[in-house]
Amino acid sequence: MNMYQTKKTLLALCAAVGLGGCGSLDIGDLNNPSLDDFRDNPTVSGVNSASTGLLLGHRAGVSAPNGYVAQLGVIGREAYVFDPADPRAIDEMLGPVMDPGAAAFGGNYWTAPYANIRNANTLLAALEKVAGLSDAQKEGVRGFAKTMQALDFLVVINTRDTQGAPIDVDRPLGADLAPIEGKDAVFAHIAGLLDTAAGHLDNAGDSFSFRLSTGFNGFDTPATFRTFNRAVRARVAVYMGRNEDALTALSQSFITANVPADDGAKAAALASLNVGVYHVFRAASGDADNGLLSTTVFAHPSIATDAETAGAGGPVDDRVTRKTVKLNAPVSAADGKLTTDLRFTLYTSADAPVPIIRNEELILLRAEANIGMGQIGAAADDLNYIRTRSGRLPARTDITAENAVDELLKQKRYSLMFEGGHRWIDMRRYGKLDELPRNLDPNVPPHAFFPIPVAEVNGRQ
């Protein structure tokens, strides 16, 4: 599906199921009367429903066994998906070639994010004409919609990296396709969306006119949602190598690192680290469930073999025991080339939420920004905070400029395990993809990016 076709499809901005019963706006084609009516004569209920519907659009494909978390986890050697009905989970994800014509694999994470970006643009245009919303309420919708657009663009560039991506996609039907911009330009666009959104949120009053999912509990007012926006902005700034910008954004986010490390505070420390914003699911008809607890999804054995222990003969990193469990017997695939005896316990039910961003990541982003600025003492404080609270490991006294990045990547690996492709993205950013195991074929390195879909390429010829 090329970008022109993407503009014409997947525009169901519905929010009725699983997100508070806010009603729905069912729009199928940009040329049909219902969409024209929404653009030309939008209602308050329609705008509010479409706003909430952006959450559904962004959640699409996150938690499927062949979705964002699982596929990026396989490439990043966090996971295996042993699906006898679809060997592409091995052959493409770990093999030499990803098929750009397969929307569920090599061509994934393109059509759905761009459709949701287009949904947000349609909503923003309709917002200019709606009566019945105050100026502050409209600012709230703008701040929310642009933040969601930034998250969707982030999915695209996280999967395409140096392949780049289109930015100027809010074009009339029939216009020339937007050019594919380089990675730096895409990240700059994402940062601009987040900063503009933060400005809207500053003027959005005390409440949103629409409802957010329960995954935004604690972040469901303009002021608290802005701290989420700043958290995402910090992640983007770190990805861009803009360390001062990252520290500024973190200072405006919901970052907290003040829980004691003693055993009695363990529960409080974990609760604090888990504060954040989540995708939510519901195992009910009409809604999506969390498929990451599928019996085909397993943890990569290196998670256990590479884990640190609390001293010689001491207990293993607590994140391993919290997030995985040893199987009664190993499982294998690819004629025995791939074997593991671990399964994830992160997602215990079909209703289990998947993090978008958590406090634990923010602390590690602050450590990363400080490493980038040569402020190793401050970085070591945050790394040791995570070691002692999340890993239940002793603090290190030997973190230096020479080993700080390796320590950072280790802590990010175990703290953000199987949450959103962080291992793959981080190892790629530091030029360390070749350090990941080559379990399927020693001659095939890990993929560095997903290809641009072949239909998109053909549409530009």
Side-chain angles (χ1 to χ4, degrees):
M1 177 176 292
N2 62 40
M3 187 58 61
Y4 175 76
Q5 292 170 317
T6 299
K7 293 176 181 178
K8 296 178 66 178
T9 58
L10 295 177
L11 275 156
L13 309 178
C14 56
V17 180
L19 291 169
C22 302
S24 66
L25 175 64
D26 188 7
I27 300 171
D29 189 305
L30 280 172
N31 294 318
N32 71 18
S34 61
L35 177 60
D36 289 340
D37 190 53
F38 176 67
R39 278 198 235 163
D40 298 337
N41 301 291
T43 63
V44 170
S45 62
V47 165
N48 287 339
S49 182
S51 298
T52 309
L54 294 179
L55 296 177
L56 295 178
H58 181 60
R59 186 187 67 177
V62 165
S63 67
N66 66 340
Y68 187 83
V69 172
Q71 289 188 341
L72 272 61
V74 171
I75 301 174
R77 278 46 173 182
E78 295 179 294
Y80 285 139
V81 178
F82 293 163
D83 184 356
D86 197 338
R88 290 180 296 177
I90 294 172
D91 296 345
E92 282 199 37
M93 296 297 102
L94 298 175
V97 177
M98 297 178 71
D99 180 5
F105 287 87
N108 214 339
Y109 318 115
W110 188 271
T111 297
Y114 276 119
N116 211 43
I117 290 165
R118 183 72 177 186
N119 290 346
N121 283 329
T122 301
L123 167 63
L124 291 168
L127 191 64
E128 302 302 319
K129 299 181 180 180
V130 69
L133 289 176
S134 68
D135 289 343
Q137 288 173 324
K138 290 181 179 180
E139 284 288 88
V141 173
R142 293 185 185 104
F144 170 76
K146 291 178 183 180
T147 300
M148 298 309 296
Q149 284 186 316
L151 287 167
D152 284 311
F153 273 114
L154 194 56
V155 168
V156 175
I157 200 59
N158 276 346
T159 50
R160 265 65 201 190
D161 196 52
T162 54
Q163 301 292 284
I167 295 172
D168 181 21
V169 295
D170 189 24
R171 296 185 171 198
L173 294 179
D176 291 341
L177 295 178
I180 293 178
E181 307 284 356
K183 178 175 72 170
D184 291 346
V186 179
F187 273 121
H189 180 65
I190 294 169
L193 281 170
L194 290 166
D195 289 343
T196 301
H200 291 309
L201 293 166
D202 285 336
N203 298 306
D206 296 329
S207 62
F208 288 120
S209 62
F210 53 92
R211 294 182 64 181
L212 291 166
S213 76
T214 56
F216 285 80
N217 284 350
F219 300 91
D220 52 2
T221 68
T224 54
F225 186 89
R226 190 185 190 279
T227 67
F228 163 64
N229 169 289
R230 295 293 83 190
V232 177
R233 181 66 174 87
R235 180 195 284 172
V236 171
V238 166
Y239 285 3
M240 296 172 72
R242 303 288 182 86
N243 298 308
E244 289 189 21
D245 291 349
L247 293 176
T248 298
L250 285 166
S251 71
Q252 300 168 2
S253 73
F254 57 90
I255 188 171
T256 303
N258 58 9
V259 180
D262 59 87
D263 289 342
K266 178 179 179 180
L270 292 180
S272 174
L273 294 174
N274 285 326
V275 169
V277 175
Y278 292 75
H279 296 288
V280 293
F281 304 89
R282 191 171 65 167
S285 177
D287 200 1
D289 61 6
N290 185 339
L292 294 172
L293 72 164
S294 167
T295 57
T296 65
V297 178
F298 300 92
H300 197 282
S302 65
I303 289 171
T305 57
D306 293 350
E308 186 176 344
T309 59
V316 72
D317 189 319
D318 196 57
R319 290 165 290 191
V320 176
T321 54
R322 287 204 315 270
K323 300 178 183 185
T324 67
V325 64
K326 201 171 185 67
L327 300 171
N328 292 329
V331 292
S332 299
D335 297 324
K337 294 178 182 177
L338 308 178
T339 301
T340 184
D341 61 357
L342 287 181
R343 186 183 295 283
F344 290 109
T345 55
L346 276 163
Y347 309 110
T348 57
S349 74
D351 296 332
V354 174
I356 298 175
I357 195 164
R358 297 187 293 119
N359 183 42
E360 190 162 2
E361 181 183 351
L362 302 189
I363 297 169
L364 289 165
L365 288 173
R366 186 166 66 186
E368 187 166 1
N370 276 316
I371 291 170
M373 296 178 68
Q375 297 169 172
I376 305 303
D381 288 343
D382 279 334
L383 293 171
N384 281 324
Y385 186 92
I386 297 300
R387 285 177 62 87
T388 56
R389 275 72 167 183
S390 192
R392 311 301 290 177
L393 298 168
R396 285 187 63 173
T397 60
D398 61 342
I399 296 176
T400 66
E402 287 70 33
N403 62 26
V405 168
D406 287 338
E407 178 65 19
L408 169 78
L409 292 174
K410 179 170 65 176
Q411 296 313 313
K412 292 190 79 174
R413 174 185 185 181
Y414 286 95
S415 284
L416 308 181
M417 183 194 308
F418 206 52
E419 291 185 7
H422 297 283
R423 178 66 171 166
W424 179 52
I425 294 166
D426 289 338
M427 293 296 277
R428 181 180 64 198
R429 290 193 299 115
Y430 282 95
K432 292 176 175 286
L433 280 180
D434 274 343
E435 295 182 16
L436 296 177
R438 300 186 184 188
N439 302 104
L440 184 63
D441 186 334
N443 298 311
V444 176
H447 297 297
F449 49 78
F450 283 65
I452 293 177
V454 65
E456 180 77 18
V457 174
N458 291 342
R460 296 170 181 278
Q461 294 178 350

